[in-house]
Amino acid sequence: MNIKRFFTVAALLLVSVIFNKTAAQVSIVPLSIDHQAHRYEGLYYALPKSKIQVDVWVDKVEVIRGPFAEYAGRLLGLDNVPRVNSESYHLAGISLSTFHEVDPDHYYFVRVPSKGTEGLRFSLSPEGFLQSASLNVPEKSRKTQELTDVSGKLPRTEFVDFTVPNIIERVDTFIRRISIDTTTFEEIFFRKTFIEKTTEQKAREAADFILKLEDHRLSLITGYQEVNYSAEVMQYMNEQLRDLQDEYLALFKGKKVTSTSHYTFTYEPKAGKENEPLTLFRFAANRGIVDKELPLGEQVQISFSAAGQTRKIATHQLLRDAAKPKNTGFYYRIPEKAKINVRMGNEMLAETYFLVNQLGVVSFLPYESVQEIQFHPETGSVKFFRLK
């Protein structure tokens, strides 16, 4: 009985040794230094790098001259009304966010042995980021962010023509003298024609109607109509009269139309470029966003500064790299925290902190004893791992 137990334990140990030997043969090699690609089979995975998405909203304000602007002072006593059409722009808002894509400088090849691979399980994201590697871990889905560049404009509002009809009746009086022998008499007849109203006539009619609307509102508020309307009805009628009055006043005062456009820019922080501003675009108050190569407006620049949280890790990793290990485990990233600034001249438009993958440290796990591991696909950092 003891001999049977001895052989059973020995068999289990032998299986364990075989498994460890198989697992030890799974090594990870950076693609840039893999000179034995013809000798091994396996799969590729990549580490992600971070990019900054800058969303900019610009308001365009159009001032449209009223068709009766030249009569505003004489008929209504309105001064400083716009006499010409104009437009201006201003930055309505800036938002910063991050997204991730494959870092082409950090592809890795997982060398898989030709035998004893029944227990190997790998899970990768659609982009090629390694999500997990273990005996049996269900694949986890990862949501991808869709970037859209949306720019839209509000419909232009035209002036309402209240001068309907646009013609008036003119009556001309004609007197014709008729003489028959020694008798003379006069024949009077009228001829009617229709002529188009002049701009001043239209302006006077509009001004008169504005004054009438003001009288109607005053009568409504003071209770001149002697009707016991409810508060809601009074408010509704007053708003309708005021809106109609504003539409007529716009014929003299003009209109201001605001439309918003959305722009998207991308920026990649690069190691060694800390505190070096990069021009995203130029902004001019009379043109809006213009190309950064044009000598117009003021530069809008973006820059970053690293927090230095991974500085000691980088020093320690240099010592590990100097040891030149023969085989390495899975490579992963430790991202660095960075502050992103967007400025226009001396004005700070946006400032926030993000984890930036490529500013951090790339390290590797032990070659042996790692049985299960999970990664954060967004950063390439280790989420969980288990040793044998």
Side-chain angles (χ1 to χ4, degrees), residues 156-173:
R156 183 185 182 93
T157 305
E158 301 294 343
F159 292 100
V160 180
D161 188 3
F162 291 102
T163 58
V164 178
N166 195 29
I167 57 176
I168 59 176
E169 180 181 355
R170 186 178 69 182
V171 179
D172 297 323
T173 303

mmCIF file of all heavy atoms in Angstrom, residues 156-173:
data_model
loop_
_atom_site.group_PDB
_atom_site.id
_atom_site.type_symbol
_atom_site.label_atom_id
_atom_site.label_comp_id
_atom_site.label_asym_id
_atom_site.label_seq_id
_atom_site.Cartn_x
_atom_site.Cartn_y
_atom_site.Cartn_z
ATOM 1 N N ARG A 156 -29.908 80.218 -39.988
ATOM 2 C CA ARG A 156 -29.906 81.674 -40.007
ATOM 3 C C ARG A 156 -31.348 82.173 -39.914
ATOM 4 O O ARG A 156 -32.234 81.690 -40.605
ATOM 5 C CB ARG A 156 -29.259 82.164 -41.304
ATOM 6 C CG ARG A 156 -29.128 83.680 -41.400
ATOM 7 C CD ARG A 156 -28.579 84.050 -42.780
ATOM 8 N NE ARG A 156 -28.400 85.474 -42.905
ATOM 9 C CZ ARG A 156 -27.260 86.095 -42.636
ATOM 10 N NH1 ARG A 156 -26.222 85.388 -42.217
ATOM 11 N NH2 ARG A 156 -27.140 87.398 -42.776
ATOM 12 N N THR A 157 -31.565 83.149 -39.055
ATOM 13 C CA THR A 157 -32.896 83.706 -38.850
ATOM 14 C C THR A 157 -33.039 84.971 -39.678
ATOM 15 O O THR A 157 -32.257 85.912 -39.530
ATOM 16 C CB THR A 157 -33.127 84.026 -37.363
ATOM 17 O OG1 THR A 157 -32.890 82.841 -36.603
ATOM 18 C CG2 THR A 157 -34.532 84.514 -37.131
ATOM 19 N N GLU A 158 -34.010 84.978 -40.545
ATOM 20 C CA GLU A 158 -34.253 86.141 -41.375
ATOM 21 C C GLU A 158 -35.302 87.025 -40.712
ATOM 22 O O GLU A 158 -36.046 86.621 -39.821
ATOM 23 C CB GLU A 158 -34.738 85.702 -42.765
ATOM 24 C CG GLU A 158 -33.769 84.801 -43.504
ATOM 25 C CD GLU A 158 -32.472 85.519 -43.873
ATOM 26 O OE1 GLU A 158 -32.466 86.759 -43.852
ATOM 27 O OE2 GLU A 158 -31.495 84.819 -44.188
ATOM 28 N N PHE A 159 -35.387 88.278 -41.190
ATOM 29 C CA PHE A 159 -36.392 89.196 -40.671
ATOM 30 C C PHE A 159 -37.753 88.855 -41.258
ATOM 31 O O PHE A 159 -37.877 88.441 -42.409
ATOM 32 C CB PHE A 159 -36.034 90.646 -41.029
ATOM 33 C CG PHE A 159 -34.812 91.153 -40.318
ATOM 34 C CD1 PHE A 159 -33.578 91.202 -40.952
ATOM 35 C CD2 PHE A 159 -34.884 91.555 -39.000
ATOM 36 C CE1 PHE A 159 -32.470 91.661 -40.297
ATOM 37 C CE2 PHE A 159 -33.778 92.019 -38.336
ATOM 38 C CZ PHE A 159 -32.554 92.066 -38.976
ATOM 39 N N VAL A 160 -38.769 89.045 -40.437
ATOM 40 C CA VAL A 160 -40.141 88.799 -40.879
ATOM 41 C C VAL A 160 -40.670 90.077 -41.502
ATOM 42 O O VAL A 160 -40.555 91.162 -40.920
ATOM 43 C CB VAL A 160 -41.026 88.367 -39.696
ATOM 44 C CG1 VAL A 160 -42.452 88.114 -40.170
ATOM 45 C CG2 VAL A 160 -40.439 87.127 -39.046
ATOM 46 N N ASP A 161 -41.226 89.964 -42.693
ATOM 47 C CA ASP A 161 -41.783 91.127 -43.382
ATOM 48 C C ASP A 161 -43.231 91.306 -42.946
ATOM 49 O O ASP A 161 -44.116 90.530 -43.304
ATOM 50 C CB ASP A 161 -41.689 90.930 -44.902
ATOM 51 C CG ASP A 161 -42.068 92.201 -45.651
ATOM 52 O OD1 ASP A 161 -42.348 93.215 -44.974
ATOM 53 O OD2 ASP A 161 -42.095 92.169 -46.884
ATOM 54 N N PHE A 162 -43.439 92.351 -42.106
ATOM 55 C CA PHE A 162 -44.782 92.600 -41.599
ATOM 56 C C PHE A 162 -45.558 93.577 -42.480
ATOM 57 O O PHE A 162 -46.730 93.844 -42.215
ATOM 58 C CB PHE A 162 -44.704 93.198 -40.179
ATOM 59 C CG PHE A 162 -44.206 92.213 -39.150
ATOM 60 C CD1 PHE A 162 -42.903 92.266 -38.704
ATOM 61 C CD2 PHE A 162 -45.035 91.227 -38.649
ATOM 62 C CE1 PHE A 162 -42.438 91.371 -37.760
ATOM 63 C CE2 PHE A 162 -44.589 90.331 -37.711
ATOM 64 C CZ PHE A 162 -43.280 90.393 -37.268
ATOM 65 N N THR A 163 -44.932 94.153 -43.485
ATOM 66 C CA THR A 163 -45.601 95.145 -44.326
ATOM 67 C C THR A 163 -46.382 94.440 -45.426
ATOM 68 O O THR A 163 -45.973 94.373 -46.579
ATOM 69 C CB THR A 163 -44.566 96.103 -44.942
ATOM 70 O OG1 THR A 163 -43.638 95.331 -45.682
ATOM 71 C CG2 THR A 163 -43.837 96.863 -43.858
ATOM 72 N N VAL A 164 -47.495 93.867 -45.048
ATOM 73 C CA VAL A 164 -48.347 93.142 -45.992
ATOM 74 C C VAL A 164 -49.715 93.823 -46.020
ATOM 75 O O VAL A 164 -50.340 94.024 -44.969
ATOM 76 C CB VAL A 164 -48.504 91.671 -45.572
ATOM 77 C CG1 VAL A 164 -49.439 90.938 -46.540
ATOM 78 C CG2 VAL A 164 -47.149 90.994 -45.530
ATOM 79 N N PRO A 165 -50.237 94.219 -47.167
ATOM 80 C CA PRO A 165 -49.616 94.042 -48.486
ATOM 81 C C PRO A 165 -48.520 95.074 -48.707
ATOM 82 O O PRO A 165 -48.436 96.069 -48.006
ATOM 83 C CB PRO A 165 -50.785 94.236 -49.449
ATOM 84 C CG PRO A 165 -51.669 95.193 -48.726
ATOM 85 C CD PRO A 165 -51.568 94.843 -47.268
ATOM 86 N N ASN A 166 -47.710 94.823 -49.716
ATOM 87 C CA ASN A 166 -46.575 95.684 -49.995
ATOM 88 C C ASN A 166 -46.916 96.791 -50.985
ATOM 89 O O ASN A 166 -46.022 97.439 -51.522
ATOM 90 C CB ASN A 166 -45.405 94.851 -50.535
ATOM 91 C CG ASN A 166 -44.109 95.632 -50.486
ATOM 92 O OD1 ASN A 166 -43.920 96.490 -49.639
ATOM 93 N ND2 ASN A 166 -43.215 95.338 -51.425
ATOM 94 N N ILE A 167 -48.217 96.969 -51.263
ATOM 95 C CA ILE A 167 -48.644 98.017 -52.189
ATOM 96 C C ILE A 167 -49.722 98.844 -51.517
ATOM 97 O O ILE A 167 -50.394 98.394 -50.571
ATOM 98 C CB ILE A 167 -49.189 97.428 -53.518
ATOM 99 C CG1 ILE A 167 -50.361 96.464 -53.228
ATOM 100 C CG2 ILE A 167 -48.088 96.732 -54.300
ATOM 101 C CD1 ILE A 167 -51.021 95.927 -54.489
ATOM 102 N N ILE A 168 -49.875 100.084 -51.983
ATOM 103 C CA ILE A 168 -50.924 100.974 -51.492
ATOM 104 C C ILE A 168 -51.707 101.516 -52.685
ATOM 105 O O ILE A 168 -51.240 101.514 -53.822
ATOM 106 C CB ILE A 168 -50.335 102.133 -50.667
ATOM 107 C CG1 ILE A 168 -49.343 102.937 -51.527
ATOM 108 C CG2 ILE A 168 -49.663 101.630 -49.411
ATOM 109 C CD1 ILE A 168 -48.783 104.155 -50.811
ATOM 110 N N GLU A 169 -52.910 101.998 -52.375
ATOM 111 C CA GLU A 169 -53.775 102.529 -53.434
ATOM 112 C C GLU A 169 -53.554 104.033 -53.570
ATOM 113 O O GLU A 169 -53.530 104.764 -52.568
ATOM 114 C CB GLU A 169 -55.231 102.236 -53.110
ATOM 115 C CG GLU A 169 -56.202 102.751 -54.151
ATOM 116 C CD GLU A 169 -57.645 102.453 -53.776
ATOM 117 O OE1 GLU A 169 -57.865 101.777 -52.761
ATOM 118 O OE2 GLU A 169 -58.534 102.897 -54.501
ATOM 119 N N ARG A 170 -53.343 104.495 -54.769
ATOM 120 C CA ARG A 170 -53.215 105.927 -55.037
ATOM 121 C C ARG A 170 -54.349 106.357 -55.959
ATOM 122 O O ARG A 170 -54.607 105.714 -56.989
ATOM 123 C CB ARG A 170 -51.871 106.233 -55.688
ATOM 124 C CG ARG A 170 -51.628 107.725 -55.853
ATOM 125 C CD ARG A 170 -50.275 107.996 -56.463
ATOM 126 N NE ARG A 170 -50.245 107.571 -57.872
ATOM 127 C CZ ARG A 170 -49.139 107.665 -58.622
ATOM 128 N NH1 ARG A 170 -48.009 108.110 -58.106
ATOM 129 N NH2 ARG A 170 -49.166 107.257 -59.881
ATOM 130 N N VAL A 171 -55.036 107.433 -55.574
ATOM 131 C CA VAL A 171 -56.165 107.955 -56.345
ATOM 132 C C VAL A 171 -55.760 109.308 -56.938
ATOM 133 O O VAL A 171 -55.411 110.239 -56.195
ATOM 134 C CB VAL A 171 -57.429 108.105 -55.473
ATOM 135 C CG1 VAL A 171 -58.580 108.671 -56.312
ATOM 136 C CG2 VAL A 171 -57.797 106.779 -54.839
ATOM 137 N N ASP A 172 -55.766 109.417 -58.244
ATOM 138 C CA ASP A 172 -55.450 110.664 -58.952
ATOM 139 C C ASP A 172 -56.750 111.286 -59.472
ATOM 140 O O ASP A 172 -57.638 110.584 -59.998
ATOM 141 C CB ASP A 172 -54.497 110.398 -60.114
ATOM 142 C CG ASP A 172 -53.158 109.870 -59.624
ATOM 143 O OD1 ASP A 172 -52.706 110.332 -58.555
ATOM 144 O OD2 ASP A 172 -52.582 108.979 -60.289
ATOM 145 N N THR A 173 -56.855 112.564 -59.291
ATOM 146 C CA THR A 173 -58.035 113.301 -59.750
ATOM 147 C C THR A 173 -57.707 114.047 -61.037
ATOM 148 O O THR A 173 -56.703 114.788 -61.095
ATOM 149 C CB THR A 173 -58.513 114.307 -58.684
ATOM 150 O OG1 THR A 173 -58.777 113.605 -57.481
ATOM 151 C CG2 THR A 173 -59.786 115.040 -59.161
#
